[in-house]
Amino acid sequence: PLLNSEFVKNKVWVDTDTDGSWTVYRKSLNYAYDSEVTKTSSSTFGSAVAYDEALGYLVSDSVLGKVYRYTYNALTQIYSIAQTITKDASFGSTVVYSNNTYVISEPTSGTPKVYVYKLEKTILVNELVLDQTIAAPVGVANWGSAVALSGDENWLYISAIEDDLIYVYVKSQLTDQYVLHTTLSSVDIDAGSSLGYSIATTYYGETVIAGAPNQAYDPLGTNLANWGSVVVWDRITQNLETPYNSSPYVPVLFTLVS
């Protein structure tokens, strides 16, 4: 019988002997080496990677400012380049995605940007199409070394580690573009701590966690430099209902509970 308490039924007990002994068989999840993908004339091939069944494989070379999209041919067993996207140096430092939205950062070029792409797959088109370019705010020199995208694609978090800030963008329901909502910082983080060096969020983006690896720790005057710290933010959410006959183009006013 299978072990019913397990979510995945991956154990089975078999009576294999006449003395009452049982043998336990367990399924294993073994990874077998497939192949190596290389690129001639590359510099930092594999700076960031991503995979999705619909898209295939994304592999960046941030020094060259290139992102390659590979697809796999099961008949020939060959990975081939289906699309190459080229921008300025550092493009491809970070790649995150959810569903058909792909966010690729270019954090340290002369004009840092974060690019939002959509995967379009039709009979005629099968490629990543640029949907939005988010330029760095004035004075921000390191823009998007870390990026996080909520699973529902509504919240986008972009780091500005030299300023110890995280910029929060929300998707507009009118334009389907990301617009600046607020910035996140922490009074417990010292200047120069690289807040936003790493960022993660939940499916709905209501919780955000960010690393500040250069934060000092000084509980007893020992001044332990670069000890590191992690900051967590929670966004208050409320479920609101609107009448079924309300117009989608007329704002509905709600009273928020404090």
Side-chain angles (χ1 to χ4, degrees):
L2 295 174
L3 185 60
N4 292 327
S5 62
E6 290 189 6
F7 181 75
V8 178
K9 307 300 190 286
N10 57 5
K11 282 185 181 179
V12 62
W13 280 256
V14 181
D15 187 356
T16 60
D17 209 333
T18 57
D19 62 358
S21 299
W22 290 78
T23 299
V24 181
Y25 292 92
R26 181 181 180 88
K27 292 190 296 183
S28 61
L29 301 176
N30 294 324
Y31 290 90
Y33 175 81
D34 181 59
S35 63
E36 181 182 13
V37 179
T38 60
K39 181 72 174 63
T40 58
S41 302
S42 61
S43 184
T44 54
F45 186 70
S47 301
V49 296
Y51 169 77
D52 181 76
E53 185 175 357
L55 172 84
Y57 305 82
L58 278 186
V59 183
S60 73
D61 188 330
S62 62
V63 167
L64 297 182
K66 294 180 180 291
V67 172
Y68 306 96
R69 178 189 176 194
Y70 285 83
T71 56
Y72 179 70
N73 189 313
L75 294 178
T76 62
Q77 297 183 340
I78 295 176
Y79 295 88
S80 57
I81 296 178
Q83 183 179 359
T84 301
I85 305 174
T86 303
K87 298 293 183 182
D88 290 334
S90 78
F91 175 69
S93 293
T94 302
V95 178
V96 298
Y97 76 95
S98 179
N99 300 314
N100 70 329
T101 300
Y102 293 80
V103 181
I104 305 176
S105 72
E106 182 189 288
T108 56
S109 66
T111 55
K113 300 178 182 70
V114 170
Y115 299 91
V116 181
Y117 290 86
K118 295 287 188 180
L119 176 62
E120 292 190 7
K121 294 192 71 172
T122 66
I123 296 177
L124 300 176
V125 179
N126 182 0
E127 64 180 7
L128 284 173
V129 177
L130 181 62
D131 185 65
Q132 183 180 358
T133 301
I134 305 175
V138 176
V140 174
N142 192 315
W143 176 241
S145 288
V147 178
L149 178 66
S150 63
D152 62 4
E153 305 172 60
N154 287 327
W155 296 89
L156 175 62
Y157 302 91
I158 303 175
S159 71
I161 60 173
E162 292 183 0
D163 302 289
D164 297 303
L165 288 174
I166 296 172
Y167 286 75
V168 181
Y169 286 80
V170 63
K171 180 183 286 189
S172 169
Q173 300 304 307
L174 295 177
T175 65
D176 204 37
Q177 299 284 288
Y178 290 100
V179 295
L180 182 61
H181 177 66
T182 187
T183 58
L184 299 178
S185 60
S186 174
V187 296
D188 297 322
I189 296 298
D190 300 327
S193 296
S194 300
L195 177 65
Y197 189 89
S198 55
I199 312 174
T201 189
T202 54
Y203 183 86
Y204 293 110
E206 74 275 17
T207 298
V208 184
I209 180 171
N214 296 328
Q215 170 71 9
Y217 182 62
D218 190 16
L220 301 174
T222 53
N223 190 22
L224 299 174
N226 301 332
W227 184 273
S229 183
V230 170
V231 181
V232 180
W233 296 269
D234 285 316
R235 174 167 49 85
I236 298 175
T237 60
Q238 296 183 24
N239 294 323
L240 305 172
E241 295 182 359
T242 185
Y244 73 94
N245 58 350
S246 62
S247 172
Y249 303 106
V250 178
V252 179
L253 299 180
F254 297 96
T255 301
L256 295 179
V257 179
S258 59

